Amino acid sequence: MAALVATEAAASPDPAEAAETAEAAELSRVLSRMLPGLEADSKLGRRRALEALQRTLEAARPEAPDGDPAAAAAAFQGPWARLLLPRLLRCLADPAEGCRALAVHLLDLGLRRAARPRDALPRLLPALAARLAGPEPARRPPPEVCEELRLALVQLLHLAVRLSGAALAPHLDDAVRVLRCTLLDPFAAVRRESCECAADLARATPDHFHMQSESLIGPLMQSISHQHWKVRVAVIEATGTVIQFGSGKSVDDVLPHFAQRLFDDVPQVRQAVARVVGGWLLHLRDRYSFLHKLIPLLLSSLDDEIPEIACEAAGLWEQVGLRWQMENEEDLKDKLDFAGPPPAHHPSPGSRPGLGCRELVFRNLSKILPAICHDITDWVVATRVKSAQLLAVLLLHAEGHITQHLEPVLRTLLHACADEEKAVVRSCTRSAELIGTFVSPEVFLKLILSMLRKSPSPSGLLVFASVIRGCPREALRPHVKVIAMELAHAHICQGSENRLYGERLLQCVQAVVSVSREDCRGAGVPLMEVLVTVLALWGPAGLGAKVQEALAELAAVESVDGSQDLFRAHVGALLERLAASHRDWTGRSTGFLQFDVVLAHSGPALGEALPQLVPILRSCLQPARDPPMRLKLFSTLSGLLLGARETVDSQGQFHGYLDTLIKDIFVPNLQWHAGRTAAAIRTAAVSCLWALVSSGVLSDEQIQEVQEMLMPQILTTLEEDSQMTRLISCRIINVFLKTSDGVIDADKFIKIYPAGATSGPKGGKKQPLKQPRRQTRKTRLAGRNRSRRNWRS
């Protein structure tokens, strides 16, 4: 019975199959009538035949009786593969461009409607290779000259890849040969389509693609710097997929080009690099071998100028850290089970990197740092900026593990902080602050101070200031005095006359004061010495206002009211330090300039420091000392004596030093000596004496004492060449006479009157002015010419 049923079933065909066969037969008859036109000799005839085929295929759209699309595709498969495909492939080489375009369009329609498009691959791929690659793609242009048609052919190849999938593996050689040529096509759209096709080809044939992937890397890297940013993005994305499904050996060839794209002006290109590198760190089979090369690329995107790119890179980096942490959970078991809170002094405890991210950086830091230290001194500005930014990110992840790499990092920062680019310096100071945050002061002070002792520089001081600024107050407390004394050392404090050096030195003091606060009270004297030095050496260069701000901060820390009270607290110690070297001062000595600043800014504190002050003045104003120094010191002393009640006599003790001031300072400097310099010093001394006698700080009796000791010298100055000196001397004598209670000794008056009556240079005689020699010659020539004219007439 079963055999009988089977026989009857075979004898009566299924209605659906019969309808399918009928549709295929009908389509074959229609195509058979049109296909001979494709062989016509005329271009117009072939074109009309192709257009008729296009209308037929677009209008017919055969449907199975039960509405099954698969059945309709099966009905189309036979006529398509048997009749239409071979002839359309031959039309790809048609001399007429319009015919070739129609043939490509019909092939696209056929592949989309066929039930088994993979059956067309043995014929389609060689035909496409013949049109797009040619026999020698490296030497000759592709046979297809029309760029729009090349684009259509690459799109046809892309369609075949998508529809065929893994069935394309036997024809991988032809597909790769085509892509190697089209990836270098002059038409940008062809390159973009080729990149997408290469990526889909890698996904479609993962088991075989690794054997051909390396041959695509060369063309891709030649296109990665294309002038169109969309092409660059497509190349980066295609490279990521090709290496993902291909051979990891090509990563080393690709990374330098990817690193260059991080400097691209177009944000989409930089974003594509971050996405591809993040994908490799998550999914690349051999990623552990390239961690130290891929991590810097992704971390560089964390400081991108576009917030969206930086945020996306941060998300990818977090995923990478979590995945690595899951894969190495056994090694991190203790750290995961006994994880402590973030350090109390962490710069951003709320956004501290995860354990996996920190471990990844720590374990690869020794391989990454040498390259960064090299690139941070590169001649290209953008490279230096990126390297400096990346160094700060790495140090933030490494935390306490920076210690074992501290010496090369500090050496690198020392060079980089001297960069002319502000962005580089800004990132390096951030790195130095992180060193101060995570490294113990005992460690970094030993290295930094040794560098400063060996060769003090503005960059070294900037690094030092930044490290101090990042250091926690509790950790820095035991070292504040050591730091202040090192800064006050002459080798560092007076290391250069460059203004930038003074500015960096001032930043060091500000950092110590701002971090230590009340802890720096015990180091007030050396800090004051540094500030006085900065004010002395670089105050005229524009740092005076900043030094005053630093003095105000130090005064607030020491709980005194203003800078004058600060000087009052330390002026004795400052003068004691200066007294050790005052015998060697000249007008340009740093010690003398410091002394001048102390005199100018101490105010009432000078009245308390007269025991230390007067011996220094007496020594420095001796006639044998440097003349420019004496002139400057007399000028400063004149200002102090004019306001003596608020300066040197603030405590009412100045009269006790009046005898020393007159005998040891004024008398030697008012003695006549030949030369203009000596005359200028006498003028300065007379001016200083006038400031003393006119200040009101001396009583009449004291003025009479001064008159007794200085009247002969003052009478001598009435014969000076300088009018100013003579005038001031007359005023001094006037004060002397007014304080004598209206009674003038006749002998004294006889001595004073002749000197005043004949005051002036050389007894008041006028010196004849010499005519310039040039004028005399001109007059002589004029007279000679006049004589000649008279003789001729």
Side-chain angles (χ1 to χ4, degrees), residues 95-128:
E97 182 178 321
C99 295
R100 300 198 302 273
L102 286 171
V104 174
H105 179 63
L106 291 174
L107 287 169
D108 184 273
L109 286 177
L111 284 178
R112 293 178 186 276
R113 293 180 57 181
R116 298 183 302 277
R118 59 182 178 274
D119 293 348
L121 295 179
R123 297 179 180 178
L124 178 63
L125 267 296
L128 293 177

Side-chain angles (χ1 to χ4, degrees), residues 642-657:
L642 282 174
R645 296 189 186 278
E646 290 77 26
T647 55
V648 292
D649 197 39
S650 62
Q651 304 298 316
Q653 303 296 324
F654 181 68
H655 62 85
Y657 299 91

Side-chain angles (χ1 to χ4, degrees), residues 87-236:
R87 289 170 175 80
L88 290 177
L89 291 177
R90 285 199 296 270
C91 290
L92 292 179
D94 195 286
E97 182 178 321
C99 295
R100 300 198 302 273
L102 286 171
V104 174
H105 179 63
L106 291 174
L107 287 169
D108 184 273
L109 286 177
L111 284 178
R112 293 178 186 276
R113 293 180 57 181
R116 298 183 302 277
R118 59 182 178 274
D119 293 348
L121 295 179
R123 297 179 180 178
L124 178 63
L125 267 296
L128 293 177
R131 295 303 301 169
L132 292 173
E136 295 180 2
R139 298 182 182 179
R140 298 181 183 178
E144 182 53 66
V145 295
C146 177
E147 57 186 19
E148 287 83 1
L149 278 179
R150 293 199 301 274
L151 175 60
L153 289 170
V154 175
Q155 291 172 342
L156 184 62
L157 175 61
H158 195 183
L159 176 64
V161 171
R162 290 199 305 268
L163 295 176
S164 303
L168 198 67
H171 313 284
L172 200 57
D173 290 344
D174 287 333
V176 170
R177 187 158 67 94
V178 170
L179 291 174
R180 288 183 60 193
C181 183
T182 55
L183 284 170
L184 302 175
D185 196 276
F187 190 28
V190 174
R191 294 199 187 201
R192 284 162 43 199
E193 187 67 28
S194 300
C195 290
E196 296 176 6
C197 182
D200 285 342
L201 180 64
R203 297 188 190 96
T205 58
D207 296 334
H208 303 83
F209 184 74
H210 65 277
M211 296 183 291
Q212 298 284 345
S213 63
E214 294 183 28
S215 60
L216 291 177
I217 297 301
L220 284 170
M221 292 303 100
Q222 293 181 54
S223 299
I224 201 170
S225 58
H226 194 271
Q227 59 183 351
H228 292 183
W229 68 267
K230 291 184 178 180
V231 174
R232 300 198 295 273
V233 171
V235 169
I236 292 169

Side-chain angles (χ1 to χ4, degrees), residues 451-584:
M451 292 179 181
L452 290 177
R453 293 189 196 106
K454 183 179 180 181
S455 178
S457 63
S459 60
L461 291 174
L462 178 59
V463 172
F464 193 27
S466 302
V467 171
I468 295 173
R469 199 160 46 241
C471 188
R473 178 180 176 181
E474 297 77 11
L476 193 64
R477 182 180 293 122
H479 309 280
V480 173
K481 192 169 184 179
V482 174
I483 294 173
M485 293 181 65
E486 286 291 340
L487 291 175
H489 196 277
H491 183 61
I492 297 178
C493 191
Q494 306 168 23
S496 173
E497 296 182 358
N498 186 4
R499 182 186 183 277
L500 183 61
Y501 188 90
E503 188 173 350
R504 302 308 189 205
L505 185 62
L506 179 60
Q507 288 179 3
C508 290
V509 177
Q510 290 173 330
V512 173
V513 174
S514 62
V515 173
S516 300
R517 305 303 298 169
E518 289 78 8
D519 298 335
C520 63
R521 289 179 178 176
V525 175
L527 291 178
M528 277 293 296
E529 186 174 352
V530 177
L531 291 177
V532 167
T533 304
V534 174
L535 196 58
L537 296 179
W538 301 285
L543 293 182
K546 294 182 179 180
V547 174
Q548 293 299 330
E549 293 176 3
L551 287 171
E553 293 178 5
L554 186 58
V557 165
E558 296 197 4
S559 301
V560 295
D561 187 15
S563 60
Q564 285 196 348
D565 288 345
L566 188 64
F567 272 96
R568 174 175 293 173
H570 302 295
V571 66
L574 291 174
L575 290 176
E576 186 178 350
R577 286 173 180 250
L578 292 171
S581 61
H582 74 277
R583 299 185 185 279
D584 301 324

Side-chain angles (χ1 to χ4, degrees), residues 705-724:
E705 294 178 7
V706 173
Q707 176 184 351
E708 293 293 335
M709 290 184 285
L710 291 180
M711 182 59 80
Q713 288 79 11
I714 296 299
L715 293 176
T716 305
T717 58
L718 292 174
E719 299 182 4
E720 291 287 342
D721 292 342
S722 170
Q723 180 181 352
M724 179 63 69

Side-chain angles (χ1 to χ4, degrees), residues 202-527:
R203 297 188 190 96
T205 58
D207 296 334
H208 303 83
F209 184 74
H210 65 277
M211 296 183 291
Q212 298 284 345
S213 63
E214 294 183 28
S215 60
L216 291 177
I217 297 301
L220 284 170
M221 292 303 100
Q222 293 181 54
S223 299
I224 201 170
S225 58
H226 194 271
Q227 59 183 351
H228 292 183
W229 68 267
K230 291 184 178 180
V231 174
R232 300 198 295 273
V233 171
V235 169
I236 292 169
E237 294 174 348
T239 303
T241 307
V242 167
I243 292 181
Q244 179 71 41
F245 293 93
S247 174
K249 299 177 181 178
S250 305
V251 173
D252 290 331
D253 301 328
V254 168
L255 290 181
H257 299 276
F258 273 31
Q260 289 298 319
R261 291 307 100 203
L262 289 175
F263 304 100
D264 203 289
D265 295 331
V266 180
Q268 289 87 340
V269 178
R270 302 196 301 271
Q271 188 175 29
V273 173
R275 287 175 178 173
V276 169
V277 173
W280 284 349
L281 285 170
L282 288 171
H283 307 295
L284 190 66
R285 287 191 294 269
D286 299 333
R287 60 184 179 276
Y288 278 37
S289 302
F290 304 103
L291 285 177
H292 63 286
K293 299 180 180 180
L294 297 176
I295 288 175
L297 295 182
L298 184 57
L299 293 184
S300 296
S301 300
L302 296 180
D303 286 314
D304 196 275
E305 59 186 9
I306 304 298
E308 290 78 6
I309 298 177
C311 183
E312 184 174 356
L316 287 169
W317 175 238
E318 185 178 357
Q319 295 177 30
V320 171
L322 289 174
R323 175 149 189 175
W324 188 88
Q325 180 178 321
M326 292 174 58
E327 293 172 349
N328 299 270
E329 192 171 358
E330 292 297 327
D331 294 343
L332 304 176
K333 184 174 179 57
D334 292 341
K335 295 182 180 180
L336 290 171
D337 293 342
F338 305 100
H345 49 274
H346 195 280
S348 54
S351 57
R352 185 189 185 194
L355 176 61
C357 297
R358 300 198 307 271
E359 285 292 322
L360 271 175
V361 170
F362 160 59
R363 300 191 181 197
N364 294 276
L365 191 60
S366 60
K367 300 177 182 177
I368 300 174
L369 271 181
I372 294 180
C373 295
H374 176 269
D375 289 345
I376 208 169
T377 58
D378 194 82
W379 67 276
V380 180
V381 174
T383 303
R384 300 200 302 271
V385 172
K386 277 288 184 185
S387 300
Q389 292 174 346
L390 179 57
L391 179 60
V393 174
L394 291 173
L395 296 183
L396 180 63
H397 283 76
E399 295 185 355
H401 300 294
I402 308 172
T403 306
Q404 56 187 299
H405 307 284
L406 188 58
E407 186 174 359
V409 171
L410 285 176
R411 191 165 52 247
T412 300
L413 293 177
L414 197 67
H415 288 88
C417 283
D419 201 289
E420 297 178 354
E421 189 65 28
K422 293 183 179 179
V424 176
V425 177
R426 186 165 54 249
S427 297
C428 289
T429 54
R430 173 63 178 155
S431 298
E433 290 175 1
L434 292 173
I435 290 175
T437 301
F438 296 118
V439 179
S440 172
E442 289 85 353
V443 179
F444 69 69
L445 284 176
K446 182 179 179 181
L447 293 175
I448 296 179
L449 291 179
S450 64
M451 292 179 181
L452 290 177
R453 293 189 196 106
K454 183 179 180 181
S455 178
S457 63
S459 60
L461 291 174
L462 178 59
V463 172
F464 193 27
S466 302
V467 171
I468 295 173
R469 199 160 46 241
C471 188
R473 178 180 176 181
E474 297 77 11
L476 193 64
R477 182 180 293 122
H479 309 280
V480 173
K481 192 169 184 179
V482 174
I483 294 173
M485 293 181 65
E486 286 291 340
L487 291 175
H489 196 277
H491 183 61
I492 297 178
C493 191
Q494 306 168 23
S496 173
E497 296 182 358
N498 186 4
R499 182 186 183 277
L500 183 61
Y501 188 90
E503 188 173 350
R504 302 308 189 205
L505 185 62
L506 179 60
Q507 288 179 3
C508 290
V509 177
Q510 290 173 330
V512 173
V513 174
S514 62
V515 173
S516 300
R517 305 303 298 169
E518 289 78 8
D519 298 335
C520 63
R521 289 179 178 176
V525 175
L527 291 178

Side-chain angles (χ1 to χ4, degrees), residues 15-83:
E17 293 182 2
E20 178 183 330
T21 305
E23 290 291 337
E26 179 62 24
L27 181 60
S28 298
R29 284 194 295 272
V30 174
L31 294 177
S32 298
R33 289 196 299 269
M34 298 178 180
L35 291 178
L38 300 178
E39 309 294 337
D41 294 334
S42 66
K43 175 178 69 174
L44 184 59
R46 297 193 301 273
R47 183 182 181 89
R48 287 176 177 174
L50 289 168
E51 290 174 348
L53 282 173
Q54 179 181 357
R55 289 193 298 270
T56 300
L57 293 180
E58 290 179 349
R61 297 194 181 279
E63 296 290 345
D66 57 356
D68 185 8
F76 179 75
Q77 177 67 35
W80 154 255
R82 187 176 65 257
L83 300 175

